[in-house]
Structures are given as C-alpha cells and as structure tokens.
Amino acid sequence: MNHQKAAEQATYSARVIEEAANPKHMRRMPDPDAVGIIHGCCGDTMEIYLRLDKDKIKEATFMTDGHESAIAGANRLAAMIQELTLEEASRISAEEVIDALGGLPQAKVHCAQLAINTLREAIANGQKGAQ
C-alpha cells in the first residue's frame, strides 16, 4: 500500500472501513423496478437499483467502480432506504449518509453526494414507471 493510501485510510472511521470491506448491498439487481446511473465528476460511476412494492423500497443494491468511500457511502445508503417510501428516501441528504458513516475525509465527501444523486435519479425513474 502506498503512503498516501495508508494515510487516507487512517482518516476513515471504523464504520467506513467495515462498510467498504463488507458491502452487503453491492451487486447488480436482476429486473429492478428502478435504476439510476451517474458518472461523477471524480470519474467514478455509481449505479443504484431499486425493487419496489408500490411506492415503498423493498430492496436496494448498488454497483460502483469507486473505492472505499464510494462503496461505503452507497452501501450505507442502500441499508438506510430499505422499507422507506420513495418520498422518504428522496429526502435523505449526503450529510445524513456521512453522519451514518461516522464522517468522511473532506476530499471524499463528494462520494456521499454521488450516491445521493444516483438514488434521486433511480427514484425519478421509478416514479415515471409507476405512472
């Protein structure tokens, strides 16, 4: 591991390290009811898949080519939105994800925002499909 990567990991909370090492929700969902895919300004791509029961999220999964903070943020967000309505999920902020992770280094805050933006795209696509 290079010095910069080791120093960066030292600034991650135990929660970020755990979520990134064991991402329970990281997989592509077959036949989802809604999908959001965003290519972030950082170069990472985030995909969020939703399985819906009317307007309630029954399952959420994600894929990303990002590293620890992107994986941890998306994994925590997927867990947070289970059983929420689309409306409730759309009100979750990047700050709430960051808080749930025990914080992120300032240079990695954009990863939480990428997950939120991708979720919002998936929600918009899910609402279009429900109409």
Side-chain angles (χ1 to χ4, degrees):
M1 184 181 301
N2 68 33
H3 178 70
Q4 180 181 2
K5 187 160 181 85
E8 188 176 280
Q9 278 197 326
T11 62
Y12 285 141
S13 70
R15 185 64 186 226
V16 170
I17 293 166
E18 172 61 26
E19 295 275 353
N22 300 295
K24 295 179 178 111
H25 304 285
M26 188 170 172
R27 64 188 174 282
R28 286 194 171 91
M29 180 186 292
D31 302 316
D33 296 310
V35 178
I37 300 173
I38 293 190
H39 306 287
C41 60
C42 58
D44 293 349
T45 299
M46 180 79 61
E47 304 170 14
I48 292 185
Y49 304 89
L50 303 176
R51 175 107 41 241
L52 305 173
D53 180 8
K54 298 185 171 96
D55 75 332
K56 188 174 271 196
I57 298 169
K58 296 313 257 177
E59 183 182 10
T61 66
F62 75 96
M63 284 301 292
T64 185
D65 57 7
H67 296 287
E68 291 91 349
S69 52
I71 293 168
N75 196 61
R76 178 75 338 239
L77 179 61
M80 292 169 70
I81 63 174
Q82 305 282 341
E83 298 299 320
L84 295 182
T85 65
L86 293 174
E87 173 69 29
E88 291 165 337
S90 72
R91 292 194 302 258
I92 294 176
S93 68
E95 292 75 23
E96 289 174 274
V97 174
I98 293 166
D99 287 347
L101 290 171
L104 281 175
Q106 189 59 42
K108 299 297 181 176
V109 166
H110 69 275
C111 294
Q113 191 60 57
L114 176 59
I116 290 294
N117 292 346
T118 308
L119 170 63
R120 290 184 179 151
E121 180 173 293
I123 289 170
N125 292 337
Q127 288 171 332
K128 282 183 211 166
Q131 292 176 358

